[in-house]
């Protein structure tokens, strides 16, 4: 399978092209909720399996931290 | 014996903010604690029902536990911490809505990463955008009356002026500003930032503020769990005092006992 370049949480990653769900299986947390934004748009969790990642996509995986 | 008006008020003294009703008037932050265990126990000890938290890029190198487990079953008030303009703040709020499944948001736009005082033009712009997007906005703001009135008019559910700089523990830089705000603002008023000790929380509650938001004063105390409990009591005490109504001040002494011996 061909590799593509993406920007994941500000870091360049070379990944196999495929669905967002596949990428999240590698890079997203297993023990807590998270939200995903791609190219500035929030992707609802119901669409993870249908969403196909493209070359140069900017992906943000966000989770909760303590704060005031 | 019939109950006094203030006793009756106290019996049903819940705090309604937007769509939510709380029995505690202390809101606590969840950052900066020396350990996760202390954070969990202090948050519990505070009696707070609403807690603030933040969002961040997830890192697999980060070994911190899930903050949601540390918090327990409290209601969540995600903040927009670290944002510098209205566009970033709205993006943060939308990510929080997706992540936490809540419409509540603490709008907080700082001036710079060194100056944490609110950027008011951007805060006002963001409040308008968020309200149009059906968020319930708890807004961190300065003590300027016109700014606070503007935020009230826009429909923010809570106006939250800073007592003094975030994390400073200085208390109130200008109590007169805060007194004036209470006289002029009909919406929920909460002091956010700067409170250092429970007596300051009590003082602001005595002045009729609806709640206080505290993080550093608890997290940085020598004994955070004990301090959280002290804040719980301080806020309750101040609220009771407000409902009870203070005596009037006098320029001269007024005797509580007979002023002439045996007469």
């Amino acid at each position: 399978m061909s590799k593509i370049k993406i920007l994941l949480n500000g870091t360049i990653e070379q990944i196999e092209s495929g669905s967002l769900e596949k990428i999240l299986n590698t890079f997203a947390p297993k023990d807590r909720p998270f939200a995903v934004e791609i190219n500035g748009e929030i992707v609802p969790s119901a669409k993870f399996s249908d969403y196909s990642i493209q070359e140069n996509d900017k992906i943000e995986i966000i989770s909760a931290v303590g704060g005031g | 014996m019939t109950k006094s008006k203030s006793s009756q008020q106290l019996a049903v003294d819940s705090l309604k903010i937007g769509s939510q009703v709380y029995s505690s008037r202390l809101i606590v932050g969840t950052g900066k604690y020396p350990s996760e265990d202390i954070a969990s126990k202090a948050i519990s000890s505070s009696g707070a029902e609403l807690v603030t938290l933040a969002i961040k890029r997830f890192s697999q190198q980060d070994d911190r536990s899930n903050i949601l487990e540390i918090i327990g079953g409290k209601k969540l008030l995600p903040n927009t911490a670290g944002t510098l303009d209205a566009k970033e703040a709205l993006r943060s709020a939308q990510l929080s809505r997706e992540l936490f499944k809540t419409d509540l948001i603490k709008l907080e736009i700082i001036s710079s990463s060194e100056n944490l005082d609110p950027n008011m033009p951007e805060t006002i712009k963001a409040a308008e955008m968020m309200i149009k997007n059906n968020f319930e906005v708890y807004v961190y703001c300065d003590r300027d009356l016109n700014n606070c009135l503007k935020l009230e008019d826009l429909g923010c559910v809570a106006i939250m002026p800073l007592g003094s700089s975030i994390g400073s523990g200085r208390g109130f830089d200008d109590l007169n500003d805060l007194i004036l705000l209470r006289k002029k603002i009909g919406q929920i008023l909460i002091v956010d930032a700067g409170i250092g000790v429970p007596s300051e929380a009590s003082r602001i509650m005595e002045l009729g503020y609806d709640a206080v938001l505290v993080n550093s004063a608890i997290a940085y105390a020598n004994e955070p769990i004990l301090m959280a409990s002290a804040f719980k009591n301080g806020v309750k005490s101040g609220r009771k005092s407000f409902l009870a109504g203070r005596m009037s001040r006098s320029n001269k002494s007024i005797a509580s006992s007979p002023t002439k011996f045996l007469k």
Side-chain angles (χ1 to χ4, degrees), chain B residues 247-248 250 252-260 263:
Chain B
M247 66 172 286
S248 56
S250 170
K252 59 177 186 176
S253 54
I254 300 172
S256 302
S257 306
T259 54
K260 290 182 180 170
K263 289 185 182 173

Side-chain angles (χ1 to χ4, degrees), chain B residues 139-152:
Chain B
V139 58
Y140 162 69
C141 56
D142 68 6
R143 294 182 296 272
D144 180 85
L145 176 60
N146 288 333
N147 284 338
C148 291
L149 286 169
K150 176 73 179 166
L151 292 166
E152 181 180 37

Side-chain angles (χ1 to χ4, degrees), chain B residues 181-229:
Chain B
L181 288 178
R182 182 65 291 177
K183 283 181 182 158
K184 301 289 185 184
I185 301 284
Q187 183 56 288
I188 296 291
L189 260 182
I190 297 169
V191 164
D192 177 14
I195 286 179
V197 284
S199 56
E200 289 162 353
S202 195
R203 179 80 183 105
I204 204 70
M205 293 302 294
E206 278 184 334
L207 293 171
Y209 271 65
D210 297 284
V212 297
L213 200 166
V214 180
N215 191 160
S216 303
I218 297 174
Y220 286 164
N222 291 337
E223 299 287 345
I225 302 165
L226 186 59
M227 187 58 91
S229 167

Side-chain angles (χ1 to χ4, degrees), chain B residues 46-222:
Chain B
S46 75
E49 292 173 277
L50 182 66
V51 299
T52 59
L53 73 175
I55 59 169
K56 201 179 173 202
R57 281 175 172 163
F58 172 70
S59 165
Q60 287 177 321
Q61 280 72 52
D62 189 343
D63 60 358
R64 281 178 289 193
S65 299
N66 179 2
I67 186 71
L68 297 175
E69 283 179 9
I70 293 166
I71 289 169
K74 308 286 186 186
K75 287 180 185 170
L76 304 178
L77 180 59
N79 66 30
T80 63
T83 61
L84 295 170
D85 60 40
K87 196 176 159 195
E88 277 186 354
L90 181 62
R91 183 180 163 205
S92 174
Q94 286 167 332
L95 281 164
S96 286
R97 174 183 270 163
E98 175 67 18
L99 182 56
F100 303 116
K101 312 299 180 202
T102 179
D103 292 331
L104 309 190
I105 193 74
K106 178 188 165 187
L107 168 56
E108 173 181 331
I109 301 179
I110 53 175
S111 300
S112 72
S113 53
E114 287 79 36
N115 175 7
L116 306 184
D117 289 354
N119 176 332
M120 288 312 300
E122 289 299 315
T123 296
I124 290 168
K125 205 189 298 179
E128 198 164 5
M129 290 157 75
M130 287 177 180
I131 289 161
K132 275 185 190 157
N133 280 274
N134 300 314
F135 283 99
E136 292 191 23
V137 180
Y138 296 57
V139 58
Y140 162 69
C141 56
D142 68 6
R143 294 182 296 272
D144 180 85
L145 176 60
N146 288 333
N147 284 338
C148 291
L149 286 169
K150 176 73 179 166
L151 292 166
E152 181 180 37
D153 286 347
L154 286 173
C156 293
V157 296
I159 314 295
M160 306 202 296
L162 76 170
S164 53
S165 303
I166 287 177
S168 70
R170 281 202 308 269
F172 307 117
D173 282 350
D174 193 331
L175 194 58
N176 287 326
D177 281 352
L178 295 169
I179 291 169
L180 178 65
L181 288 178
R182 182 65 291 177
K183 283 181 182 158
K184 301 289 185 184
I185 301 284
Q187 183 56 288
I188 296 291
L189 260 182
I190 297 169
V191 164
D192 177 14
I195 286 179
V197 284
S199 56
E200 289 162 353
S202 195
R203 179 80 183 105
I204 204 70
M205 293 302 294
E206 278 184 334
L207 293 171
Y209 271 65
D210 297 284
V212 297
L213 200 166
V214 180
N215 191 160
S216 303
I218 297 174
Y220 286 164
N222 291 337

